[in-house]
Amino acid sequence: MANPFYAHPKLSQLPTPFYVYDLAGLRGRVAKFKSSLPANAHIHFAMKSNNNLEILKALHECGLGVDLVSAGEMRRAHEAGFTPEEMIFSGVGKTADEISAALEMNIHQLNVESLPELERIADLAAQAKKQARVALRMNPDIEVDTHPYIRTGFHENKFGFDFSEIPNAVEILKTHANVLTLQGLTLHIGSQIRDLVAFRQAIRKTFKLWQQLNTQGFTLTSFDVGGGVGIDYLSADLAKDEELIAAYGKMIETEVPSIVNRIDFEPGRILIARFGALITEVQYVKRTPYKNFVIVDAGMNALMRPALYEAHHRILRIGGRTAAKSSDGRTQVFDIVGPICESADVLGYKRVMPSDIKAGDRLAILDVGAYGYVMSSQYNLREPLKEYILNGVTL
Ligand code: LLP
């Protein structure tokens, strides 16, 4: 019987905690995503979700571009083999140095989020004698059903232009037409979204503006719909992800008219989340009169999502004969906690685990390929985590 990638025997001797990625799974997911989108789709992997060099190289081999948000990401993308033409630069706080570096490299597009940023880009492009290719990120003011910390398309968020600011943006663009080329509009309404209605509304609203701008002397060619497609963290069912991907592709096909030459996508989570696991070792099983704890060697330093967003990640015992179940089939409820000196250092609340769980057992924390390692820290001066790659699991 085939083991899941995170239980591969090759991993059993490696010191914990560590991240492991399943490259074959990732490649399959990318193929599925690509085939669900129209032929004029350009997929730019949001490398803030995972910036592992081998993963980036693999995604480049799959024909993807990259969406970046810092000079560091630009350097890493370059190292992974992405050409400037395959890069889009997003983010509300681009520094002058970052903009200059992007202009110097001639990257495909700067996604601009405010009037002062647009002015700064114009100045820096003039100094560098470069033509900056820009897209305006719109804030469509849509409430999305996701955690408030990862909602970005609502008017109270710091992201993107309000529609009322467009006349001012147009003025800047026209004044600096010798250094600014408006290629398109861009959106990103939030992350971990599984209801397509919000995407649909945002695209409709923004596409109207796209058309208006084309009647005001601009020649927009592209429409960037951002990322944000989520997964069901409670479920192991990859077929459900694929159903959502297919429905998302259909929605795009209906909502983005064919006069748009090129549709850009910036997915992160939907591509990589499922194909990463965090492997950790049980240090102590602590039973108190009030609660039972499994104390492991990975904490909020290794995976911040549960502490920061109360995110749920499935946690399974792996390895050995006792893998998922105890020998007598009995279970007990535990909080799975890390070693960090904070009460928020909980990886999973009220988890049903085999009752014979013991020190030395290994647990896999699942669906952490996106926003896992990249958000880890050395808090409490813990060692940086290691990352391992499996090319494919053939057991
Ligand atoms: N494009 C832009 C401009 C973004 O800001 C993001 C994510 C993406 C694309 C990719 O979104 P995705 O397809 O991965 O949802 N740390 C949080 C997620 C923060 C997302 C930030 N922006 C988490 O762990 O859930």
Side-chain angles (χ1 to χ4, degrees), residues 48 92 113 137-161 187-193 199 226-228:
K48 62 169 77 67
V92 287
E113 304 228 11
R137 174 167 175 185
M138 299 311 302
N139 184 327
D141 190 20
I142 283 168
E143 280 206 66
V144 176
D145 179 22
T146 189
H147 192 283
Y149 289 3
I150 52 175
R151 199 167 66 177
T152 54
F154 184 46
H155 68 263
E156 286 186 4
N157 301 130
K158 67 181 173 185
F159 301 100
F161 283 91
L187 279 173
H188 175 72
I189 58 173
S191 198
Q192 180 53 13
I193 302 168
F199 287 116

Side-chain angles (χ1 to χ4, degrees), residues 43-322:
I43 306 170
H44 295 264
F45 176 64
M47 65 178 284
K48 62 169 77 67
S49 64
N50 188 311
N51 58 33
N52 178 282
L53 191 60
E54 299 309 312
I55 297 276
L56 292 176
K57 282 182 182 167
L59 291 171
H60 189 233
E61 272 168 25
C62 294
L64 267 52
V66 73
D67 168 53
L68 25 104
V69 285
S70 71
E73 287 194 355
M74 202 189 307
R75 282 192 292 274
R76 178 72 60 87
H78 185 66
E79 199 185 343
F82 291 94
T83 63
E85 204 45 47
E86 292 166 329
M87 297 180 193
I88 284 180
F89 201 140
S90 300
V92 287
K94 300 175 199 79
T95 64
D97 283 352
E98 287 174 330
I99 293 169
S100 296
L103 291 171
E104 195 50 48
M105 273 180 94
N106 283 322
I107 71 162
H108 174 68
Q109 183 165 293
L110 285 155
N111 287 352
V112 187
E113 304 228 11
S114 67
L115 296 170
E117 186 194 338
L118 191 57
E119 279 169 341
R120 181 182 262 187
I121 293 173
D123 289 348
L124 293 169
Q127 277 170 34
K129 298 194 172 38
K130 295 273 187 185
Q131 190 71 21
R133 292 179 282 171
V134 300
L136 303 181
R137 174 167 175 185
M138 299 311 302
N139 184 327
D141 190 20
I142 283 168
E143 280 206 66
V144 176
D145 179 22
T146 189
H147 192 283
Y149 289 3
I150 52 175
R151 199 167 66 177
T152 54
F154 184 46
H155 68 263
E156 286 186 4
N157 301 130
K158 67 181 173 185
F159 301 100
F161 283 91
D162 188 76
F163 280 67
S164 64
E165 295 178 287
I166 288 304
N168 294 335
V170 163
E171 207 178 301
I172 299 173
L173 287 161
K174 289 201 167 159
T175 312
H176 300 283
N178 58 329
V179 285
L180 296 178
T181 302
L182 181 65
Q183 294 191 144
L185 295 179
T186 164
L187 279 173
H188 175 72
I189 58 173
S191 198
Q192 180 53 13
I193 302 168
R194 296 179 56 245
D195 173 5
L196 299 181
V197 173
F199 287 116
R200 201 185 284 277
Q201 287 172 343
I203 292 173
R204 280 191 191 168
K205 188 167 176 186
T206 309
F207 186 70
K208 279 194 193 133
L209 176 65
W210 195 92
Q211 282 178 305
Q212 283 165 16
L213 289 168
N214 269 339
T215 60
Q216 292 177 25
F218 294 101
T219 314
L220 276 65
T221 49
S222 66
F223 195 98
D224 177 345
V225 295
V229 182
I231 63 165
D232 180 356
Y233 282 97
L234 296 172
S235 159
D237 189 356
L238 298 191
K240 272 210 233 161
D241 295 357
E242 298 190 354
E243 274 169 33
L244 183 59
I245 291 172
Y248 177 74
K250 283 215 176 74
M251 182 277 292
I252 293 288
E253 214 146 344
T254 346
E255 297 301 333
V256 185
S258 52
I259 54 163
V260 174
N261 278 352
R262 146 177 189 147
I263 316 176
D264 292 293
F265 295 83
E266 302 168 3
R269 185 185 326 259
I270 189 68
L271 298 185
I272 184 76
R274 294 289 195 186
F275 308 105
L278 171 60
I279 311 300
T280 181
E281 191 182 89
V282 176
Q283 301 302 307
Y284 303 100
V285 177
K286 176 170 172 174
R287 292 180 167 90
T288 79
Y290 307 102
K291 236 181 185 180
N292 299 325
F293 298 95
V294 171
I295 304 173
V296 298
D297 60 4
M300 64 197 285
N301 60 309
L303 178 68
M304 206 164 146
R305 301 195 72 255
L308 189 57
Y309 315 115
E310 295 173 349
H312 181 98
H313 286 271
R314 292 176 293 127
I315 302 178
L316 300 177
R317 182 164 72 165
I318 48 170
R321 280 178 299 114
T322 51

